[in-house]
Amino acid sequence: KNEVEQSPQNLTAQEGEFITINCSYSVGISALHWLQQHPGGGIVSLFMLSSGKKKHGRLIATINIQEKHSSLHITASHPRDSAVYICAVARNKLVFGAGTILRVKS
Amino acid sequence: DAGVIQSPRHEVTEMGQEVTLRCKPISGHDYLFWYRQTMMRGLELLIYFNNNVPIDDSGMPEDRFSAKMPNASFSTLKIQPSEPRDSAVYFCASRWEALTGELFFGEGSRLTVL
């Protein structure tokens, strides 16, 4: 079993929909990262969390340390949100989930 | 700051050739990471440095891979000899430990070994 599991693997949404991507992990961590990778390959760090919730624009990330679970929410989704979203947990090094491929249709 | 700078962006080479990938981290960052991304295995850590010293190279696939960081502003990842299974996108990332720990990635170097 992978240490970091993401769901869903693929997600297609209509513009304006509320989107949730989930990440579960099985090990003790010091922090959790959410990354975004656009077609063309560049990777951008969206959030780093060790507890609670963070918000940046239309993006919200939450983490429940006890349940070893994090969610990334996108409100009022837009086609430009189409990307791969990757969860990564920080131990002595980052361990990555397989990613969630999001496509937002207009 | 221009961000993490990697070169080359794309490289196509033949099996057996030496490949050198380069990375310039963000100035002031103490940690530098080399990652590899493939369709089959996703993102994997190859090696990371702290203050130019290699800390964990357990992700380096085999002796054909080597990485150096001669100073705080430059690192190389070398593959010699290259093989088709080395084809991947190689990312360099850096961070400043004293801050949030947020990682800043380069644009990646796409390597194709024929």
Side-chain angles (χ1 to χ4, degrees):
Chain A
K1 188 177 185 298
N2 293 334
E3 290 180 311
V4 182
E5 297 278 356
Q6 281 187 241
S7 63
Q9 287 185 313
N10 291 278
L11 180 57
T12 299
Q14 283 297 131
E15 183 174 358
E17 285 185 358
F18 180 83
I19 290 165
T20 296
I21 299 170
N22 296 299
C23 176
S24 296
Y25 53 92
S26 57
V27 295
I29 66 171
S30 58
L32 182 143
H33 297 251
W34 281 103
L35 309 171
Q36 180 192 55
Q37 185 172 27
H38 276 283
I43 298 175
V44 174
S45 176
L46 297 175
F47 295 103
M48 193 195 75
L49 293 162
S50 54
S51 64
K53 180 169 82 171
K54 287 188 176 180
K55 184 176 189 292
H56 184 251
R58 294 180 295 106
L59 301 178
I60 303 167
T62 64
I63 188 168
N64 185 316
I65 297 292
Q66 286 73 30
E67 295 185 3
K68 293 185 169 61
H69 181 269
S70 175
S71 293
L72 176 68
H73 306 285
I74 305 175
T75 62
S77 59
H78 189 275
R80 65 175 175 265
D81 297 326
S82 298
V84 178
Y85 292 84
I86 302 168
C87 169
V89 299
R91 304 179 66 199
N92 53 348
K93 56 188 178 184
L94 280 186
V95 179
F96 296 90
T100 294
I101 302 171
L102 172 63
R103 180 179 169 219
V104 181
K105 298 192 289 187
S106 56
Chain B
D1 201 312
V4 178
I5 299 173
Q6 289 187 246
S7 65
R9 292 292 310 278
H10 302 271
E11 174 137 356
V12 180
T13 190
E14 292 189 342
M15 184 173 66
Q17 296 297 306
E18 179 178 291
V19 173
T20 299
L21 307 178
R22 298 172 178 81
C23 176
K24 182 181 188 302
I26 292 173
S27 177
H29 280 192
D30 295 333
Y31 284 81
L32 183 141
F33 303 81
W34 281 102
Y35 294 98
R36 178 171 68 176
Q37 186 179 40
T38 61
M39 288 293 292
M40 290 296 294
R41 299 171 68 91
L43 272 164
E44 302 173 284
L45 176 67
L46 298 176
I47 185 171
Y48 77 93
F49 296 83
N50 176 216
N51 292 322
N52 313 339
V53 176
I55 302 301
D56 184 350
D57 65 354
S58 59
M60 296 285 265
E62 48 198 271
D63 292 346
R64 297 184 298 107
F65 285 68
S66 62
K68 294 182 180 179
M69 192 165 185
N71 57 62
S73 59
F74 184 67
S75 177
T76 60
L77 178 67
K78 188 172 293 188
I79 309 172
Q80 166 63 22
S82 59
E83 296 182 3
R85 61 193 166 120
D86 302 330
S87 298
V89 181
Y90 292 82
F91 286 97
C92 176
S94 69
R95 70 175 168 90
W96 184 9
E97 182 182 28
L99 289 181
T100 62
E102 180 183 356
L103 264 182
F104 294 84
F105 284 83
E107 291 292 312
S109 294
R110 182 176 294 276
L111 172 66
T112 302
V113 183
L114 303 174

